[in-house]
Amino acid sequence: MKTVIKNITIINEGKCCISDILISGDRIEKIAPSISYKTEVFVNEINGEGLYLFPGVIDDQVHFREPGLIHKGTIYSESRAAVAGGITSFMEMPNTIPNTLTQELLEEKYDVASKTSLSNYSFFMGINQNNLEEALKINNERVCGITDDGLYFNNDEGILANYPEFLEKLFSRTESLVALHSEDDGIIKNNTNFYREKFGENIPFELHPKIRSKEACVAATKRVLEIAKKHNNRLHLFHISTLTEANLFENLLPINKKRITAEACVHHLWFSNTDYEKLGSKIKWNPAVKSEEDKNGLLRALLENKLDIIATDHAPHTIKEKSGNYFKSMSGGPLVQHALPAMLELFHKGKISLEKIVEKMCHHVAEIYRIKERGYIREGYYADLVLVDLNQKWQVTPENILYKCQWSPFENQIFKSKIVKTFVNGNLVYDDGFFNEGILGKRLLFSKIR
């Protein structure tokens, strides 16, 4: 069956134009000002007048919790929330139980996704001090990269940014994309001890950015950048949270010429330290949500192409796991359903253009990971597409939250824009509150050379 969307405003490759688009099977067959077809050919026609068509969002950093932590979320439940939010492809982290540290465990995740994921998918290979040889075996054309995000490097503590000798060894050998979380453990420990002595176990949540401080982020990021530049590695840094860090990166274009890339996350672009009083543990992330200056600076760095993409770091916990004192409350929160509406809200506020949102959430993600035939609205590309009504207000309520954990830091927020339809590989998987789960997502494929 074919689908034609008529009179749709397409946002793609820095341009905005009204056109028709024809979907045939899992691909975009034709884009033209007017598309006609023979009446005897069965075509599903959608009137796109007044709506906007985006490429499907690609989220390079999610924690979908399967296997081992499925009380928080599953590949099925979170991919379902993702497509409702216009995210058609995701890349998932290795801090499941067991951690994804072997090729066998990695492929087991792919097997689960092939049977349950409504969106397209890829999974990072995890790395710690004991599995370097195993991690180096990944197939660059079938796996998005290697990461330490969410993992302990040394069994009971630390992330890779704190082990420069091991980074030297990894960067000198790998030809894969390496994606890292960069915070300095020593600085964080000292800050934690200082505030624990002052407040005991009941440290106020607004001190989280003082504990996981700007200094901790900057020190680790500088360390990692120095080593990566020496080896000319393909390095990507997750969730940059400070303006100082953002200014460490170059605004080199085109994007595919960069050997070092970095991202901002939706929560660091939306929330600031002024929100802890109201939301407390619900906005406790690592790295921490920081100052208004950092929030505004990150957005400016995106517009200046110092930061390359926007991600979610979707990390669901149950509301019970987010409760309790500072040390009991877990860091992270669910975001995939509300990430694109939140960025569109920033558009309505005049802070970012639609074209730039598409660039940072679609085009550039495809470019820096070298994803094949996705991330753009182009003839011959997979039909991963999102129809958006920029003028349909809706409110986030417990009744319309789709995460398995059943809460959101955006609860009660009124958004001006609504995701109307989401196509994944040409399949209309989400249609204004209804899901078609008959056709599942596909494994993302990549160029061999990163």
Side-chain angles (χ1 to χ4, degrees), residues 26 53 131 151 170 246 254 262 273 311 360 367 392 399 433 442:
D26 61 1
L53 189 70
N131 80 326
L151 299 180
L170 171 63
N273 58 349
K360 299 299 183 181
E367 293 291 346
Q392 187 176 162
E399 291 73 29
K442 298 177 183 288

Side-chain angles (χ1 to χ4, degrees), residues 195-196 198-211 276-277 280-281 284 325-327:
Y195 287 108
R196 192 196 291 264
K198 191 172 182 180
F199 295 100
E201 301 298 299
N202 296 308
I203 296 173
F205 286 104
E206 56 262 34
L207 292 177
H208 191 53
K210 298 289 187 181
I211 292 173
Y276 283 104
E277 183 178 358
S281 65
K284 184 188 178 195
N325 65 37
Y326 178 83
F327 292 99

